[in-house]
Amino acid sequence: AVVSTQSTGDAGMRDRTYLVYQLFSRAPGERVHNSLKSLGVQYAVLDKYWCMKNRPKTGCAIPELWDFVDPENSGKNTFCEEVSSYRHLFDLAYSNPQYRVLKVK
């Protein structure tokens, strides 16, 4: 399944977008994996820029925004930083300096 982010008023799309954006959160890999599997995702792309915790302005990075939505994981490492700990759930299909493509097992 191909998933993308949409900026529409459709509640179903918003819910799916929320699940996909967990890739850039501090959520545990098991939660990210279960969310992607529930959507039928086979591959996921991690963009280095979206994974960054530190931006020129505080509060502008996606992981920082997740801290408001998911306060129980605030302060933990991001999924992007911990993805190598979840090799039992994801394979690295491709990598370059900007992107990592994960195969969802």
Side-chain angles (χ1 to χ4, degrees):
V2 175
V3 294
S4 66
T5 59
Q6 301 293 324
S7 56
T8 68
D10 183 272
M13 283 189 184
R14 264 195 320 272
D15 293 343
R16 289 188 298 277
T17 298
Y18 176 87
L19 294 175
V20 171
Y21 270 48
Q22 286 183 21
L23 285 163
F24 308 104
S25 74
R26 301 175 197 276
E30 291 84 6
R31 186 194 309 172
V32 175
H33 180 264
N34 291 339
S35 294
L36 295 176
K37 288 295 275 190
S38 76
L39 296 172
V41 173
Q42 296 172 331
Y43 293 88
V45 179
L46 292 178
D47 182 332
K48 177 182 173 182
Y49 184 75
W50 282 43
C51 291
M52 292 173 56
K53 290 189 294 186
N54 301 318
R55 296 282 179 93
K57 286 183 134 184
T58 302
C60 292
I62 291 178
E64 292 174 319
L65 297 175
W66 270 101
D67 291 344
F68 293 103
V69 177
D70 186 14
E72 79 178 52
N73 288 306
S74 179
K76 296 181 180 177
N77 285 337
T78 64
F79 172 74
C80 294
E81 293 172 299
E82 297 293 324
V83 69
S84 62
S85 301
Y86 297 104
R87 291 191 178 133
H88 59 291
L89 301 174
F90 301 93
D91 283 330
L92 181 62
Y94 174 79
S95 178
N96 70 24
Q98 185 67 34
Y99 299 102
R100 287 181 282 174
V101 177
L102 306 178
K103 183 176 188 328
V104 182
K105 293 183 180 180

XYZ file of all heavy atoms in Angstrom:
847
model
N 0.846 -1.177 0.000
C 0.000 0.000 0.000
C 0.888 1.236 0.000
O 1.906 1.272 0.669
C -0.888 0.004 1.237
N 0.485 2.211 -0.742
C 1.184 3.487 -0.757
C 0.385 4.426 0.123
O -0.835 4.548 -0.017
C 1.289 4.054 -2.183
C 1.900 5.441 -2.169
C 2.099 3.116 -3.057
N 1.062 5.064 1.054
C 0.395 6.040 1.909
C 1.095 7.365 1.771
O 2.294 7.423 1.530
C 0.372 5.603 3.394
C -0.483 4.381 3.576
C 1.758 5.353 3.927
N 0.326 8.418 1.862
C 0.913 9.752 1.822
C 0.142 10.629 2.791
O -0.928 10.261 3.267
C 0.857 10.336 0.410
O -0.488 10.545 0.039
N 0.691 11.765 3.056
C 0.024 12.683 3.969
C -0.910 13.570 3.172
O -0.602 13.993 2.069
C 1.050 13.518 4.739
O 1.830 14.250 3.798
C 1.940 12.633 5.574
N -2.046 13.830 3.729
C -3.055 14.658 3.083
C -3.438 15.791 4.025
O -3.473 15.604 5.232
C -4.309 13.835 2.765
C -4.035 12.651 1.859
C -3.634 13.080 0.467
O -4.133 14.061 -0.060
N -2.734 12.357 -0.144
N -3.743 16.911 3.471
C -4.204 18.028 4.295
C -5.637 18.356 3.892
O -5.911 19.353 3.264
C -3.287 19.240 4.133
O -3.203 19.590 2.774
N -6.528 17.431 4.210
C -7.936 17.634 3.903
C -8.736 17.501 5.184
O -8.217 17.139 6.224
C -8.440 16.596 2.885
O -8.436 15.309 3.516
C -7.575 16.550 1.641
N -10.015 17.736 5.078
C -10.892 17.631 6.229
C -11.381 16.212 6.477
O -12.170 15.983 7.382
N -10.929 15.243 5.700
C -11.377 13.866 5.844
C -10.793 13.235 7.106
O -9.578 13.123 7.255
C -10.960 13.066 4.606
C -11.444 11.641 4.649
O -10.718 10.796 5.204
O -12.546 11.384 4.142
N -11.661 12.807 8.027
C -11.207 12.257 9.309
C -10.383 10.981 9.124
O -9.399 10.761 9.834
C -12.409 11.983 10.207
N -10.764 10.147 8.179
C -10.014 8.907 7.928
C -8.595 9.193 7.480
O -7.644 8.545 7.921
N -8.435 10.174 6.612
C -7.096 10.551 6.158
C -6.277 11.119 7.299
O -5.095 10.848 7.414
C -7.170 11.552 5.010
C -7.517 10.946 3.707
S -7.326 12.183 2.410
C -7.913 11.273 1.021
N -6.915 11.931 8.131
C -6.207 12.489 9.295
C -5.717 11.378 10.219
O -4.595 11.417 10.714
C -7.125 13.435 10.072
C -6.959 14.879 9.729
C -7.608 15.794 10.751
N -8.893 15.338 11.252
C -10.070 15.599 10.704
N -10.128 16.326 9.610
N -11.186 15.145 11.240
N -6.570 10.391 10.442
C -6.189 9.272 11.311
C -5.025 8.486 10.727
O -4.098 8.110 11.443
C -7.380 8.336 11.541
C -8.491 8.987 12.347
O -8.240 10.030 13.005
O -9.624 8.447 12.311
N -5.046 8.248 9.423
C -3.946 7.526 8.771
C -2.661 8.346 8.800
O -1.576 7.815 9.036
C -4.326 7.135 7.343
C -5.384 6.036 7.299
C -5.623 5.498 5.900
N -6.131 6.489 4.957
C -7.405 6.845 4.828
N -8.313 6.307 5.594
N -7.764 7.734 3.929
N -2.783 9.653 8.569
C -1.619 10.532 8.616
C -0.980 10.491 9.995
O 0.242 10.411 10.130
C -2.021 11.974 8.243
O -2.521 11.968 6.907
C -0.847 12.924 8.349
N -1.801 10.530 11.026
C -1.308 10.445 12.408
C -0.486 9.169 12.597
O 0.611 9.200 13.168
C -2.492 10.475 13.372
C -2.121 10.289 14.817
C -1.761 11.384 15.594
C -2.118 9.033 15.402
C -1.413 11.227 16.930
C -1.774 8.868 16.736
C -1.425 9.955 17.484
O -1.070 9.787 18.797
N -0.983 8.057 12.093
C -0.276 6.783 12.243
C 1.049 6.792 11.481
O 2.070 6.335 11.992
C -1.152 5.630 11.779
C -2.409 5.364 12.599
C -3.257 4.264 11.946
C -2.073 5.014 14.032
N 1.045 7.316 10.272
C 2.268 7.349 9.465
C 3.313 8.270 10.095
O 4.500 7.937 10.151
C 1.960 7.783 8.013
C 3.249 8.040 7.229
C 1.110 6.738 7.309
N 2.887 9.421 10.609
C 3.824 10.379 11.189
C 4.493 9.862 12.464
O 5.454 10.462 12.944
C 3.133 11.708 11.462
C 3.182 12.679 10.301
C 2.849 12.260 9.021
C 3.568 13.985 10.485
C 2.884 13.139 7.960
C 3.609 14.879 9.421
C 3.266 14.448 8.164
O 3.325 15.318 7.122
N 4.007 8.745 13.001
C 4.687 8.161 14.151
C 6.125 7.783 13.813
O 6.959 7.653 14.709
C 3.932 6.935 14.667
C 2.682 7.283 15.412
C 2.000 6.060 15.983
O 2.603 5.013 16.167
N 0.726 6.200 16.262
N 6.435 7.642 12.529
C 7.816 7.387 12.107
C 8.766 8.454 12.639
O 9.952 8.195 12.825
C 7.917 7.360 10.580
C 7.390 6.132 9.873
C 7.177 6.421 8.392
C 8.349 4.972 10.066
N 8.270 9.648 12.858
C 9.110 10.775 13.259
C 8.882 11.161 14.723
O 9.309 12.225 15.161
C 8.856 11.958 12.330
C 8.973 11.567 10.887
C 7.852 11.387 10.109
C 10.217 11.302 10.338
C 7.960 10.983 8.787
C 10.336 10.888 9.019
C 9.206 10.733 8.243
N 8.239 10.272 15.466
C 7.939 10.529 16.871
C 8.976 9.860 17.767
O 9.980 9.333 17.307
C 6.546 9.991 17.205
O 6.565 8.569 17.277
N 8.685 9.857 19.043
C 9.514 9.170 20.031
C 8.849 7.869 20.479
O 9.251 7.271 21.465
C 9.732 10.088 21.228
C 10.398 11.409 20.869
C 10.476 12.314 22.093
N 10.727 13.688 21.751
C 11.924 14.206 21.518
N 12.999 13.458 21.568
N 12.053 15.484 21.235
N 7.837 7.450 19.750
C 7.101 6.237 20.099
C 8.002 5.011 19.960
O 8.914 4.981 19.125
C 5.883 6.080 19.187
N 7.735 3.976 20.756
C 8.514 2.740 20.633
C 8.306 2.112 19.248
O 7.247 2.251 18.634
C 7.927 1.834 21.719
C 7.087 2.697 22.590
C 6.743 3.921 21.802
N 9.320 1.423 18.786
C 9.274 0.792 17.472
C 8.120 -0.168 17.297
O 7.570 -0.297 16.199
N 7.732 -0.845 18.368
C 6.610 -1.776 18.276
C 5.319 -1.036 17.919
O 4.528 -1.516 17.111
C 6.420 -2.542 19.598
C 7.518 -3.533 19.903
C 8.747 -2.911 20.575
O 8.709 -1.710 20.920
O 9.741 -3.624 20.747
N 5.122 0.132 18.516
C 3.919 0.909 18.203
C 3.954 1.395 16.760
O 2.954 1.317 16.043
C 3.762 2.100 19.137
C 2.426 2.807 18.878
C 2.282 4.176 19.490
N 2.602 4.259 20.885
C 2.682 5.417 21.534
N 2.458 6.559 20.902
N 2.995 5.449 22.804
N 5.111 1.907 16.325
C 5.254 2.370 14.942
C 4.994 1.205 13.987
O 4.226 1.334 13.021
C 6.661 2.969 14.710
C 6.857 3.339 13.250
C 6.881 4.177 15.610
N 5.585 0.072 14.265
C 5.416 -1.110 13.419
C 3.947 -1.523 13.339
O 3.410 -1.756 12.254
C 6.269 -2.263 13.976
C 6.165 -3.511 13.192
N 5.301 -4.527 13.529
C 6.806 -3.919 12.073
C 5.416 -5.510 12.664
N 6.324 -5.164 11.765
N 3.280 -1.616 14.473
C 1.873 -2.020 14.485
C 1.000 -1.043 13.713
O 0.073 -1.455 12.998
C 1.373 -2.170 15.920
C 1.990 -3.361 16.622
O 2.474 -4.298 15.989
N 1.997 -3.323 17.938
N 1.291 0.238 13.837
C 0.525 1.251 13.104
C 0.705 1.091 11.603
O -0.264 1.127 10.843
C 0.955 2.660 13.528
O 0.624 2.894 14.875
N 1.946 0.918 11.170
C 2.210 0.764 9.739
C 1.592 -0.523 9.200
O 1.007 -0.537 8.114
C 3.712 0.806 9.476
C 4.397 2.135 9.797
C 5.903 2.024 9.580
C 3.818 3.283 8.985
N 1.709 -1.607 9.967
C 1.118 -2.882 9.543
C -0.399 -2.756 9.416
O -0.989 -3.324 8.493
C 1.462 -4.007 10.525
C 2.900 -4.471 10.487
C 3.273 -5.103 9.175
C 2.908 -6.569 9.139
N 3.471 -7.264 7.973
N -1.022 -2.021 10.328
C -2.479 -1.860 10.275
C -2.925 -1.137 9.007
O -4.056 -1.299 8.561
C -2.985 -1.113 11.515
O -2.714 0.272 11.436
N -2.021 -0.369 8.412
C -2.313 0.347 7.168
C -1.903 -0.446 5.931
O -2.120 0.005 4.812
C -1.585 1.694 7.159
C -2.011 2.695 8.223
C -1.073 3.895 8.226
C -3.451 3.127 8.010
N -1.264 -1.590 6.127
C -0.798 -2.383 4.992
C 0.493 -1.871 4.381
O 0.826 -2.197 3.248
N 1.237 -1.059 5.124
C 2.482 -0.480 4.617
C 3.550 -1.569 4.512
O 3.738 -2.353 5.432
C 2.975 0.656 5.541
C 4.353 1.159 5.122
C 1.967 1.789 5.569
N 4.238 -1.602 3.382
C 5.323 -2.555 3.171
C 6.689 -1.886 3.281
O 7.652 -2.510 3.698
C 5.185 -3.224 1.801
C 3.915 -4.050 1.693
C 3.684 -4.552 0.287
O 4.101 -3.925 -0.690
N 3.013 -5.680 0.183
N 6.770 -0.618 2.877
C 8.004 0.149 2.941
C 7.702 1.532 3.492
O 6.651 2.107 3.218
C 8.639 0.305 1.547
C 9.136 -0.995 0.983
C 8.305 -1.821 0.249
C 10.451 -1.400 1.198
C 8.760 -3.027 -0.256
C 10.919 -2.606 0.695
C 10.064 -3.415 -0.029
O 10.515 -4.604 -0.520
N 8.645 2.060 4.262
C 8.504 3.405 4.826
C 9.800 4.164 4.591
O 10.887 3.593 4.673
C 8.206 3.325 6.316
N 9.670 5.443 4.289
C 10.834 6.284 4.017
C 11.057 7.223 5.203
O 10.160 7.958 5.602
C 10.631 7.117 2.731
C 11.844 8.009 2.478
C 10.362 6.208 1.542
N 12.260 7.160 5.754
C 12.668 8.091 6.805
C 13.537 9.165 6.173
O 14.595 8.870 5.625
C 13.465 7.378 7.899
C 12.715 6.389 8.771
C 13.670 5.744 9.771
C 11.579 7.062 9.494
N 13.078 10.386 6.227
C 13.818 11.529 5.712
C 14.620 12.128 6.862
O 14.063 12.480 7.899
C 12.832 12.551 5.159
C 13.497 13.771 4.557
O 14.609 14.139 4.973
O 12.885 14.370 3.673
N 15.925 12.235 6.667
C 16.817 12.758 7.708
C 16.339 14.102 8.242
O 16.353 14.348 9.439
C 18.225 12.877 7.131
C 19.248 13.462 8.066
C 20.593 13.567 7.359
C 21.602 14.300 8.200
N 22.871 14.446 7.487
N 15.874 14.964 7.359
C 15.441 16.300 7.754
C 14.241 16.229 8.697
O 14.157 16.969 9.660
C 15.114 17.116 6.510
C 14.747 18.545 6.802
C 15.727 19.467 7.160
C 13.430 18.970 6.718
C 15.407 20.779 7.430
C 13.100 20.284 6.993
C 14.078 21.181 7.343
O 13.753 22.482 7.614
N 13.312 15.326 8.424
C 12.127 15.203 9.264
C 12.446 14.528 10.589
O 11.711 14.674 11.559
C 11.044 14.420 8.535
C 10.326 15.231 7.512
C 10.889 16.101 6.619
C 8.936 15.264 7.288
N 9.922 16.657 5.840
C 8.708 16.152 6.224
C 7.863 14.610 7.861
C 7.447 16.416 5.751
C 6.606 14.864 7.368
C 6.402 15.758 6.333
N 13.528 13.764 10.633
C 13.916 13.063 11.851
C 14.669 13.956 12.832
O 14.822 13.593 13.997
C 14.812 11.864 11.514
S 13.952 10.528 10.669
N 15.142 15.084 12.362
C 15.976 15.955 13.203
C 15.209 16.465 14.405
O 14.065 16.891 14.293
C 16.482 17.150 12.384
C 17.463 16.774 11.315
S 17.884 18.183 10.251
C 18.469 19.376 11.421
N 15.883 16.430 15.554
C 15.291 16.956 16.777
C 15.553 18.443 16.922
O 14.774 19.153 17.521
C 15.851 16.234 18.007
C 15.409 14.813 18.129
C 15.819 14.232 19.451
C 17.307 14.139 19.568
N 17.749 13.451 20.773
N 16.664 18.883 16.410
C 17.067 20.274 16.632
C 16.931 21.080 15.348
O 17.476 20.724 14.324
C 18.517 20.325 17.116
C 18.692 19.558 18.402
O 17.864 19.651 19.292
N 19.754 18.782 18.488
N 16.199 22.139 15.455
C 16.016 23.059 14.349
C 16.434 24.437 14.838
O 16.583 24.655 16.041
C 14.548 23.095 13.919
C 14.014 21.788 13.365
C 14.492 21.617 11.930
N 14.043 20.375 11.346
C 12.948 20.230 10.639
N 12.146 21.236 10.430
N 12.646 19.069 10.132
N 16.585 25.388 13.931
C 16.983 26.730 14.370
C 16.034 27.333 15.412
O 16.466 28.052 16.296
C 16.968 27.546 13.081
C 17.159 26.544 11.999
C 16.518 25.282 12.489
N 14.745 27.024 15.313
C 13.778 27.540 16.284
C 13.267 26.380 17.129
O 12.856 25.348 16.596
C 12.592 28.191 15.571
C 12.890 29.523 14.951
C 11.627 30.087 14.360
C 11.498 31.531 14.748
N 10.265 32.127 14.291
N 13.271 26.545 18.413
C 12.754 25.530 19.317
C 11.260 25.329 19.067
O 10.530 26.283 18.864
C 12.981 25.951 20.782
O 14.383 26.146 20.969
C 12.487 24.901 21.746
N 10.858 24.067 19.073
C 9.452 23.744 18.897
C 9.032 23.523 17.462
O 7.866 23.254 17.195
N 9.965 23.617 16.525
C 9.626 23.481 15.108
C 9.903 22.096 14.533
O 9.489 21.801 13.427
C 10.397 24.508 14.281
S 9.863 26.194 14.595
N 10.605 21.272 15.258
C 10.928 19.939 14.758
C 9.752 18.988 15.013
O 9.043 19.117 16.017
C 12.179 19.405 15.452
N 9.538 18.063 14.109
C 8.425 17.129 14.254
C 8.502 16.361 15.575
O 7.482 16.220 16.250
C 8.321 16.208 13.026
C 7.871 17.036 11.819
C 7.351 15.064 13.283
C 7.769 16.285 10.533
N 9.669 15.858 15.996
C 9.696 15.174 17.299
C 9.252 16.075 18.455
O 8.607 15.607 19.394
C 11.159 14.755 17.451
C 11.653 14.610 16.044
C 10.950 15.717 15.296
N 9.550 17.355 18.374
C 9.114 18.286 19.427
C 7.593 18.453 19.410
O 6.953 18.558 20.461
C 9.782 19.648 19.255
C 11.268 19.630 19.513
C 11.907 20.962 19.198
O 11.559 21.604 18.187
O 12.776 21.365 19.978
N 7.012 18.467 18.241
C 5.555 18.559 18.143
C 4.901 17.316 18.730
O 3.857 17.398 19.379
C 5.134 18.760 16.689
C 5.623 20.044 16.022
C 5.248 20.055 14.548
C 5.064 21.255 16.728
N 5.525 16.168 18.510
C 4.999 14.922 19.084
C 4.999 14.960 20.606
O 4.187 14.293 21.251
C 5.790 13.723 18.582
C 5.209 13.157 17.326
C 5.665 13.355 16.056
C 4.064 12.322 17.210
N 4.868 12.693 15.163
C 3.877 12.046 15.850
C 3.169 11.785 18.130
C 2.835 11.256 15.380
C 2.133 10.995 17.670
C 1.973 10.741 16.306
N 5.903 15.716 21.200
C 5.945 15.804 22.664
C 4.626 16.336 23.238
O 4.229 15.966 24.343
C 7.104 16.684 23.130
C 8.460 16.043 22.871
O 8.509 14.821 22.617
O 9.467 16.768 22.918
N 3.937 17.169 22.472
C 2.634 17.682 22.912
C 1.540 16.631 22.749
O 0.621 16.549 23.554
C 2.248 18.942 22.122
C 3.136 20.110 22.396
C 4.116 20.478 21.492
C 3.009 20.844 23.574
C 4.950 21.564 21.741
C 3.835 21.918 23.839
C 4.804 22.278 22.917
N 1.639 15.848 21.689
C 0.617 14.850 21.372
C 0.801 13.581 22.201
O -0.166 12.938 22.596
C 0.677 14.504 19.859
C -0.310 13.420 19.495
C 0.454 15.743 19.030
N 2.045 13.238 22.471
C 2.380 11.976 23.147
C 3.343 12.260 24.302
O 4.505 11.868 24.258
C 3.007 11.033 22.123
C 3.264 9.642 22.643
O 2.729 9.282 23.709
O 4.015 8.898 21.986
N 2.872 12.935 25.355
C 3.773 13.365 26.429
C 4.442 12.213 27.185
O 5.516 12.412 27.752
C 2.876 14.186 27.357
C 1.488 13.827 27.017
C 1.492 13.377 25.585
N 3.876 11.028 27.166
C 4.501 9.914 27.889
C 5.844 9.510 27.283
O 6.671 8.923 27.954
C 3.570 8.703 27.972
C 3.517 7.860 26.714
C 2.618 6.648 26.859
O 1.468 6.813 27.272
O 3.080 5.544 26.540
N 6.070 9.858 26.021
C 7.353 9.537 25.374
C 8.258 10.755 25.225
O 9.348 10.647 24.658
C 7.109 8.879 24.018
C 6.595 7.473 24.178
O 7.205 6.655 24.864
N 5.453 7.178 23.585
N 7.825 11.898 25.724
C 8.620 13.121 25.651
C 9.979 12.904 26.313
O 10.087 12.285 27.367
C 7.878 14.254 26.367
O 8.644 15.424 26.333
N 11.018 13.395 25.653
C 12.362 13.283 26.207
C 13.095 12.012 25.815
O 14.298 11.904 26.024
N 12.384 11.051 25.236
C 13.038 9.819 24.789
C 13.668 10.054 23.425
O 13.394 11.051 22.753
C 12.010 8.684 24.699
C 11.415 8.310 26.040
C 10.425 7.181 25.896
C 9.837 6.818 27.254
N 8.810 5.776 27.135
N 14.512 9.126 22.999
C 15.065 9.207 21.659
C 13.951 9.006 20.640
O 12.940 8.364 20.927
C 16.136 8.138 21.448
C 17.425 8.467 22.137
O 17.722 9.619 22.435
N 18.218 7.458 22.424
N 14.171 9.536 19.448
C 13.179 9.380 18.385
C 13.261 7.976 17.793
O 14.274 7.282 17.918
C 13.418 10.395 17.255
O 14.682 10.130 16.655
C 13.347 11.826 17.759
N 12.183 7.592 17.127
C 12.185 6.316 16.414
C 13.331 6.290 15.404
O 14.005 5.265 15.258
C 10.837 6.078 15.720
C 10.855 4.877 14.827
C 10.832 3.603 15.363
C 10.919 5.021 13.452
C 10.872 2.484 14.539
C 10.954 3.924 12.623
C 10.925 2.650 13.164
N 13.559 7.402 14.728
C 14.652 7.484 13.747
C 16.002 7.116 14.368
O 16.817 6.447 13.749
C 14.742 8.882 13.158
S 13.337 9.387 12.159
N 16.220 7.573 15.592
C 17.477 7.285 16.275
C 17.562 5.836 16.747
O 18.646 5.292 16.872
C 17.628 8.199 17.497
C 17.809 9.654 17.158
C 17.746 10.525 18.394
O 16.708 10.531 19.078
O 18.758 11.198 18.652
N 16.424 5.247 17.028
C 16.382 3.908 17.619
C 16.054 2.808 16.625
O 16.005 1.643 16.996
C 15.349 3.883 18.753
C 15.670 4.811 19.904
C 16.907 4.389 20.672
O 17.143 3.174 20.824
O 17.655 5.281 21.111
N 15.825 3.158 15.363
C 15.340 2.172 14.395
C 16.255 0.954 14.293
O 15.789 -0.163 14.102
C 15.086 2.822 13.013
C 16.381 3.237 12.343
C 14.276 1.891 12.135
N 17.552 1.126 14.470
C 18.466 -0.026 14.379
C 18.226 -1.027 15.512
O 18.618 -2.188 15.405
C 19.924 0.427 14.357
O 20.238 1.096 15.564
N 17.554 -0.606 16.569
C 17.209 -1.507 17.676
C 15.999 -2.371 17.338
O 15.649 -3.266 18.103
C 16.878 -0.709 18.937
O 17.959 0.088 19.316
N 15.361 -2.078 16.220
C 14.135 -2.784 15.845
C 14.315 -3.592 14.566
O 13.413 -3.677 13.738
C 12.981 -1.778 15.707
C 12.668 -1.092 17.003
C 13.054 0.217 17.236
C 12.009 -1.771 18.025
C 12.779 0.849 18.437
C 11.736 -1.153 19.233
C 12.119 0.156 19.430
O 11.853 0.769 20.627
N 15.479 -4.204 14.420
C 15.757 -5.008 13.217
C 14.844 -6.208 13.101
O 14.681 -6.769 12.026
C 17.224 -5.426 13.201
C 18.132 -4.240 12.967
C 19.554 -4.654 12.676
N 20.331 -3.461 12.410
C 21.508 -3.221 12.942
N 22.066 -4.092 13.756
N 22.155 -2.124 12.645
N 14.254 -6.606 14.202
C 13.301 -7.716 14.162
C 11.955 -7.275 13.566
O 11.136 -8.118 13.203
C 13.101 -8.317 15.555
C 12.588 -7.356 16.579
N 13.350 -6.307 17.078
C 11.386 -7.270 17.189
C 12.622 -5.624 17.958
N 11.434 -6.192 18.043
N 11.755 -5.970 13.412
C 10.506 -5.440 12.860
C 10.685 -4.748 11.508
O 9.729 -4.649 10.732
C 9.895 -4.426 13.838
C 9.569 -4.948 15.231
C 9.121 -3.811 16.142
C 8.506 -6.028 15.158
N 11.894 -4.266 11.244
C 12.185 -3.510 10.025
C 13.525 -3.942 9.445
O 14.485 -4.136 10.186
C 12.283 -2.005 10.329
C 11.042 -1.410 10.918
C 10.884 -1.325 12.296
C 10.038 -0.920 10.103
C 9.752 -0.764 12.858
C 8.892 -0.360 10.662
C 8.745 -0.290 12.033
N 13.584 -4.066 8.121
C 14.852 -4.270 7.414
C 15.216 -2.967 6.711
O 14.325 -2.244 6.241
C 14.731 -5.369 6.347
C 14.749 -6.760 6.926
O 15.386 -6.971 7.972
O 14.110 -7.647 6.322
N 16.498 -2.690 6.627
C 16.956 -1.538 5.855
C 17.006 -1.963 4.398
O 17.804 -2.812 4.010
C 18.330 -1.073 6.341
C 18.901 0.142 5.636
C 18.009 1.371 5.853
C 20.316 0.426 6.124
N 16.140 -1.393 3.568
C 16.064 -1.749 2.155
C 16.983 -0.877 1.308
O 17.496 -1.324 0.282
C 14.623 -1.635 1.662
N 17.185 0.367 1.735
C 18.002 1.316 0.970
C 18.407 2.451 1.901
O 17.663 2.816 2.801
C 17.199 1.880 -0.214
C 17.922 2.965 -0.967
C 18.912 2.648 -1.883
C 17.641 4.310 -0.751
C 19.595 3.656 -2.566
C 18.309 5.312 -1.425
C 19.291 4.978 -2.327
O 19.965 5.963 -2.991
N 19.575 3.014 1.633
C 20.038 4.132 2.439
C 20.941 5.032 1.611
O 21.714 4.555 0.788
C 20.805 3.595 3.651
O 21.319 4.633 4.428
N 20.816 6.327 1.824
C 21.761 7.299 1.302
C 21.882 8.390 2.374
O 21.256 8.274 3.424
C 21.330 7.823 -0.080
C 20.113 8.717 -0.066
O 19.777 9.356 0.934
N 19.422 8.783 -1.195
N 22.672 9.411 2.164
C 22.860 10.408 3.235
C 21.564 11.106 3.667
O 21.488 11.634 4.767
C 23.843 11.398 2.636
C 24.641 10.589 1.653
C 23.643 9.634 1.058
N 20.542 11.130 2.840
C 19.296 11.850 3.152
C 18.153 10.931 3.595
O 17.379 11.294 4.456
C 18.845 12.653 1.935
C 17.619 13.527 2.188
C 17.878 14.668 3.168
O 18.962 15.221 3.202
N 16.884 15.006 3.969
N 18.065 9.743 2.988
C 16.911 8.885 3.208
C 17.311 7.483 3.646
O 18.358 6.984 3.269
C 16.091 8.730 1.918
C 15.552 10.008 1.388
C 16.163 10.657 0.311
C 14.419 10.593 1.942
C 15.661 11.835 -0.183
C 13.915 11.777 1.454
C 14.542 12.389 0.393
O 14.051 13.567 -0.095
N 16.412 6.853 4.408
C 16.491 5.427 4.684
C 15.130 4.837 4.322
O 14.104 5.366 4.736
C 16.788 5.146 6.157
C 18.219 5.465 6.539
C 18.474 5.141 7.986
N 17.894 6.239 8.788
C 17.833 6.240 10.098
N 18.266 5.217 10.791
N 17.314 7.268 10.742
N 15.157 3.766 3.579
C 13.919 3.074 3.233
C 13.876 1.806 4.073
O 14.803 0.985 4.014
C 13.830 2.737 1.728
C 12.561 1.964 1.421
C 13.919 4.015 0.892
N 12.807 1.671 4.854
C 12.647 0.516 5.721
C 11.609 -0.419 5.128
O 10.549 0.026 4.678
C 12.169 0.957 7.105
C 12.993 2.007 7.819
C 12.326 2.357 9.149
C 14.405 1.498 8.059
N 11.921 -1.697 5.135
C 10.948 -2.718 4.762
C 10.273 -3.149 6.056
O 10.942 -3.553 7.012
C 11.607 -3.908 4.088
C 10.606 -4.953 3.624
C 11.301 -6.071 2.877
C 10.357 -7.050 2.233
N 9.115 -7.317 2.861
N 8.966 -3.045 6.089
C 8.197 -3.423 7.264
C 7.989 -4.934 7.229
O 7.437 -5.461 6.269
C 6.839 -2.685 7.307
C 6.061 -3.058 8.557
C 7.055 -1.172 7.210
N 8.470 -5.619 8.260
C 8.343 -7.087 8.300
C 6.953 -7.483 8.765
O 6.305 -6.791 9.504
C 9.381 -7.684 9.244
C 10.805 -7.523 8.748
C 11.738 -8.198 9.718
C 13.186 -8.069 9.282
N 14.085 -8.709 10.217
